[in-house]
Every structure is written in structure tokens, then in C-alpha cells.
């Protein structure tokens, strides 16, 4: 396992399409990139940032997300989320997250995840 420390960065990219627009996701009435889709992309980027640093059988779960969705993005556009690990507090991981399209930032905020043992976590359900 690589030591988890501030500065790790992960990214995730998607194309805005019928599956991730507000109309389809029921988060609005317009055919624009949905806020829930942006949240998921930010979480995907955070997972990517630490994936190689976790021991086998370990994972992370999201525990909080505080973001703003500042600008709409049209169908066909590419959106990339970046997550930068800013703090490690025991098993809690804190990330700065941002999503951008070709015109610049569309949303940003903070995201927290908690490191878990996958098998133990699932056995509690």
C-alpha cells in the first residue's frame, strides 16, 4: 500500500448524453448535465485518486458532498471532474472537487470519504 497523503489527484470524464441530463435523472426539466451526474463524476474522481493506494479488500465510501453547480452544460459536451486529496484524518479522506467543461468550471466543492474493509462493510447490510 502506498501511503495516503494530501496531494493525490484523480479524474473522471463523461460526455453529456440522454442518460445523465436533468430530464432523465428527474433533477430538473431541461436537457442539460444533471447535478446528480456531476456529483457522481466527482465521487468517481475521488475513488480514482486513492484506488492504487488502498490495500486489497479495502475501499472507500462517500460520507459527505458539499458542492455548487454553477453553470449548465449542453448535451454532447465533455465534462471532467478532478478530485484532490487535501487531508487524511485517520480513515476519513477529504477532497477538493471540481468539474469542468470546455468553457471552464461548472461546479466545485468538497467531498469526504471513509476507508472501509469491503467484506466487513457488506456483512453489516
Amino acid at each position: 500500500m502506498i501511503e495516503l497523503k494530501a496531494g493525490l489527484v484523480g479524474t473522471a470524464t463523461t460526455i453529456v448524453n440522454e442518460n445523465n441530463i436533468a430530464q432523465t435523472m428527474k433533477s430538473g426539466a431541461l436537457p442539460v448535465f444533471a447535478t446528480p451526474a456531476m456529483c457522481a463524476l466527482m465521487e468517481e474522481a475521488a475513488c480514482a485518486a486513492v484506488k492504487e493506494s488502498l490495500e486489497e479488500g479495502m475501499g472507500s465510501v462517500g460520507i459527505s458532498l458539499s458542492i455548487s453547480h454553477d453553470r449548465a452544460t449542453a448535451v454532447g459536451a465533455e465534462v471532467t471532474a478532478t478530485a484532490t486529496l487535501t487531508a487524511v484524518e485517520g480513515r476519513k479522506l477529504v477532497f477538493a472537487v471540481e468539474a469542468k467543461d470546455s468553457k471552464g468550471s461548472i461546479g466545485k466543492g468538497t467531498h469526504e470519504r471513509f476507508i472501509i474493509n469491503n467484506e466487513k462493510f457488506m456483512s453489516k447490510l
Side-chain angles (χ1 to χ4, degrees), residues 64-112:
S64 76
L65 186 60
S66 177
I67 57 103
S68 61
H69 192 168
D70 304 318
R71 191 168 50 74
T73 305
V75 170
E78 181 177 270
V79 177
T80 298
T82 303
T84 304
L85 183 62
T86 58
V88 178
E89 302 166 3
R91 294 192 308 157
K92 185 171 85 169
L93 308 173
V94 181
F95 298 87
V97 291
E98 183 173 26
K100 294 181 177 181
D101 64 14
S102 64
K103 297 176 184 175
S105 182
I106 65 166
K108 59 187 173 299
T110 58
H111 175 44
E112 295 179 343

Side-chain angles (χ1 to χ4, degrees), residues 8-102:
L8 293 175
V9 177
T11 61
T13 300
T14 192
I15 301 296
V16 182
N17 60 58
E18 289 296 318
N19 296 321
N20 60 19
I21 59 173
Q23 282 176 328
T24 302
M25 298 190 84
K26 310 286 189 221
S27 65
L30 300 175
V32 295
F33 192 51
T35 301
M38 184 179 74
C39 292
L41 197 64
M42 289 172 164
E43 288 203 63
E44 183 181 347
C47 289
V50 298
K51 180 180 178 185
E52 297 302 318
S53 299
L54 297 176
E55 293 177 13
E56 188 173 332
M58 302 299 282
S60 66
V61 292
I63 60 171
S64 76
L65 186 60
S66 177
I67 57 103
S68 61
H69 192 168
D70 304 318
R71 191 168 50 74
T73 305
V75 170
E78 181 177 270
V79 177
T80 298
T82 303
T84 304
L85 183 62
T86 58
V88 178
E89 302 166 3
R91 294 192 308 157
K92 185 171 85 169
L93 308 173
V94 181
F95 298 87
V97 291
E98 183 173 26
K100 294 181 177 181
D101 64 14
S102 64

